[in-house]
Amino acid sequence: MCHVLIIEDEALIALDLEDLLQRNGAQSFSFADSQQGAIEESRINRPDFILSDVALTEGTGPLAVEAIRSELGAIPVIFVTATPEACSPCAPPGKVFRKPLDRPAIGAAFRRMRAA
């Protein structure tokens, strides 16, 4: 079973990403639109994978991911953002994609990272 935490403050994009990842093997999802919300959600439902925006309603996706990973250990992450230059800290093993969504590339990266 692959549980994905989607950290995204635009609901339609979050739902689009859910559909994309479900088509690529994810079985369950949690959602958060803020840094603190993402951290709290990860404590309730530990994610096997994280897909995150950078700019959120409060805080940032990279800082949320950093906090989650420091608490729960290594979790693969893909960042999807309109501002990849603002993706900090987004060091590997994270992968960064620019919006608008490149669905085939994101799906392929998800499958590769999940299999690793």
Side-chain angles (χ1 to χ4, degrees):
M1 177 127 165
C2 179
H3 180 74
V4 178
L5 172 59
I6 297 177
I7 308 170
E8 170 62 60
D9 60 345
E10 294 184 44
L12 291 177
I13 293 174
L15 293 173
D16 191 21
L17 291 167
E18 175 188 29
D19 180 63
L20 171 65
L21 296 183
Q22 194 168 39
R23 292 172 189 253
N24 283 279
Q27 288 94 10
S28 63
F29 298 87
S30 296
F31 299 89
D33 64 0
S34 69
Q35 181 176 322
Q36 190 58 41
I39 294 166
E40 291 170 6
E41 187 57 42
S42 73
R43 290 175 180 150
I44 296 167
N45 295 301
R46 186 192 191 285
D48 300 304
F49 202 97
I50 300 172
L51 197 142
S52 180
D53 193 357
V54 171
L56 304 172
T57 57
E58 172 273 315
T60 73
L63 291 177
V65 169
E66 184 177 58
I68 292 165
R69 292 182 63 162
S70 71
E71 189 173 313
L72 301 177
I75 299 171
V77 59
I78 292 176
F79 292 96
V80 180
T81 179
T83 56
E85 64 281 355
C87 197
S88 178
C90 290
K95 179 108 174 102
V96 181
F97 289 94
R98 178 181 289 278
K99 288 179 182 175
L101 303 179
D102 181 345
R103 287 167 185 78
I106 294 169
F110 172 74
R111 289 189 309 275
R112 270 194 316 275
M113 291 172 77
R114 198 174 142 222

